[in-house]
Amino acid sequence: MNRRAFVSMLGGATAALAQQRPYDILIRNGEVRDPGQKLRRRADVAIRNGRIAAVEDRIAPERALDVIDASGLYVVPGLVDLHTHCYHSATATGIEADPVAARSGVTTWVDAGTFGYSQMPGFRRFIVNPAQVRIYGFVYLYMNDRNPDDDAIRYIRSQMRATGETATRNRDIILGVKVQVGSNMSGRYSPEIFRIARELCDKYKLKMMAHISFAPPETDEVMPQMRPGDVVTHCYNTHTIGILDANKKVRASVREARSRGVHFDVGHGSGSFNFAIARQALEQGFPPDSISTDVYSSNINGPVYDLPTTMSKLLALGMSFDDVVEKCTAAPARVVDRLPGMGSITAGGPADLALLAIESGSFQLIDSQKNLLKTEKRIVSRLTICRGKRLVAPM
Ligand SMILES: [Zn+2]
């Protein structure tokens, strides 16, 4: 047989195999949960070319090249962590996105302002492009790079235009501007810097992600300035800019902001998630709009660990499994708003999936203030699939 005939025969064999086994991956026998679509059914999920190809009661295993048995597992949309740190700066060293994603079910990371506009090319080239997972970001407007002799307000104002233009030019991966609203971050300039951030986001029509920590400004001054689609992160902190008043009641200004479409995000972090505050909020009908970790290098070994651990904390505080999953999939995907089908399991949509288990046993959870919470259930990830491929953690 000459070479051409051999190659043609091989091509024919590959085509025949593709016909017999049209799916790259088949996940069988799992419990499919996609609360964003109120989908709960035992079903098989087939993947082809990076997309969900079929969700059916039963799909023959002979039709796929790679068959995964998900018996006893929940097949959920790939988790979207709305507040993380993937970029590397002196103050907040990010995590390695792919290995952490591989063990935690996350398929989309949102970097919440670890980089300023001047670091944008590095963020795209060294963080977003090489990653198998999907990475987006909020560009920061901070005082970090200021020469101590510079007037702080003049310095921040000098960053406005470049920050707004950078966010606009990189709209495919930049979701908006991150601002730290807190005197611990910006000292006496805090209220003025918040005003400048507002002005910037209005001018360039960008979402604002506002970290809230210590007054001034006061909560009741911040909330009316948040627009629909903006994100308030660290919503269950113990700080003086918080969602509860002195009587532990959810503030009217906070409820009013939510009713206008302001998004309240957990953003656990080293110092911003407290069991008692979260419990009080949940009891008063104020669940989070999204559950996120604020993970970075110095909290990944506790108290944050990973997103399934943060999810377990909200589960232990009384949220249902479906609600917890929705707040890590469809809900944050609406904030990202860059990829149709993200955060859901839909034929034709991106094949981003997490295989989760609920383990039973005796577990201890810890919040940012080192309070302990005993629980008998915890959520763990067994497999992450992103862009139709298994994410494998390096040895
Ligand atoms: Zn953060």
Side-chain angles (χ1 to χ4, degrees), residues 83-85 112 178 234 294 296:
H83 185 156
T84 72
H85 295 279
K178 168 86 183 293
H234 306 314
D294 187 15
Y296 44 88

Side-chain angles (χ1 to χ4, degrees), residues 291-327:
I291 299 171
S292 69
T293 57
D294 187 15
V295 69
Y296 44 88
S297 59
S298 63
N299 65 32
I300 192 163
N301 294 313
V304 170
Y305 300 102
D306 57 23
L307 188 52
T309 304
T310 306
M311 295 163 80
S312 300
K313 294 175 190 181
L314 278 305
L315 188 74
L317 289 169
M319 283 179 72
S320 72
F321 177 69
D322 277 19
D323 280 350
V324 165
V325 170
E326 206 241 332
K327 304 307 178 193

Side-chain angles (χ1 to χ4, degrees), residues 7-290:
V7 169
S8 148
M9 186 195 79
L10 265 188
T14 311
L17 187 66
Q19 229 168 27
Q20 282 166 9
R21 296 182 182 267
Y23 301 131
D24 301 326
I25 297 181
L26 172 62
I27 302 162
R28 300 183 70 217
N29 307 319
E31 172 73 17
V32 175
R33 290 287 178 93
D34 176 1
Q37 302 189 86
K38 306 216 180 321
L39 181 63
R40 347 162 88 205
R41 64 186 274 212
R42 205 226 60 84
D44 295 349
V45 179
I47 294 168
R48 180 173 52 209
N49 293 337
R51 299 198 165 270
I52 308 274
V55 182
E56 290 166 16
D57 288 346
R58 199 185 123 68
I59 300 171
E62 296 76 26
R63 302 188 70 200
L65 295 167
D66 179 7
V67 179
I68 297 166
D69 183 14
S71 301
L73 300 179
Y74 295 96
V75 181
V76 308
L79 306 180
V80 179
D81 195 337
L82 194 62
H83 185 156
T84 72
H85 295 279
C86 305
Y87 199 72
H88 302 274
S89 76
T91 46
T93 303
I95 48 102
E96 295 293 337
D98 282 345
V100 180
R103 63 173 191 260
S104 65
V106 174
T107 53
T108 300
W109 301 101
V110 178
D111 184 296
T114 322
F115 60 96
Y117 78 86
S118 65
Q119 294 151 302
M120 182 64 224
F123 178 65
R124 182 185 289 277
R125 180 164 173 189
F126 300 118
I127 305 295
V128 174
N129 287 352
Q132 191 179 334
V133 287
R134 303 177 197 278
I135 301 179
Y136 300 87
F138 284 86
V139 60
Y140 75 56
L141 186 73
Y142 299 163
M143 293 203 288
N144 285 4
D145 306 322
R146 181 173 66 109
N147 178 319
D149 285 340
D150 285 349
D151 173 87
I153 297 305
R154 186 179 299 171
Y155 172 81
I156 288 287
R157 283 207 167 272
S158 75
Q159 307 292 296
M160 280 176 73
R161 184 167 160 202
T163 302
E165 287 179 353
T166 297
T168 306
R169 258 200 318 274
N170 295 277
R171 210 189 161 276
D172 59 326
I173 54 170
I174 296 301
L175 309 181
V177 174
K178 168 86 183 293
V179 60
Q180 291 178 323
V181 188
S183 55
N184 57 319
M185 299 294 184
S186 313
R188 63 200 149 104
Y189 305 112
S190 177
E192 181 64 14
I193 289 176
F194 177 53
R195 270 193 289 277
I196 294 171
R198 179 70 277 156
E199 198 181 314
L200 166 67
C201 291
D202 286 348
K203 182 168 178 199
Y204 289 90
K205 299 190 170 45
L206 300 168
K207 277 182 187 167
M208 182 196 289
M209 178 187 264
H211 145 124
I212 51 168
S213 52
F214 290 90
E218 303 292 335
T219 309
D220 291 348
E221 294 170 319
V222 174
M223 293 302 148
Q225 296 302 319
M226 301 304 290
R227 311 267 191 253
D230 284 348
V231 179
V232 173
T233 189
H234 306 314
C235 68
Y236 296 147
N237 71 26
T238 53
H239 308 327
T240 51
I241 312 178
I243 63 167
L244 304 183
D245 65 16
N247 299 316
K248 308 286 180 207
K249 294 279 174 257
V250 176
R251 290 171 179 275
S253 66
V254 168
R255 289 193 187 278
E256 194 274 333
R258 168 168 280 178
S259 74
R260 285 187 293 110
V262 175
H263 182 105
F264 288 82
D265 172 64
V266 167
H268 188 314
S270 304
S272 302
F273 179 77
N274 180 269
F275 289 136
I277 304 274
R279 183 177 279 124
Q280 275 147 353
L282 291 172
E283 281 170 3
Q284 293 172 56
F286 201 87
D289 291 307
S290 56

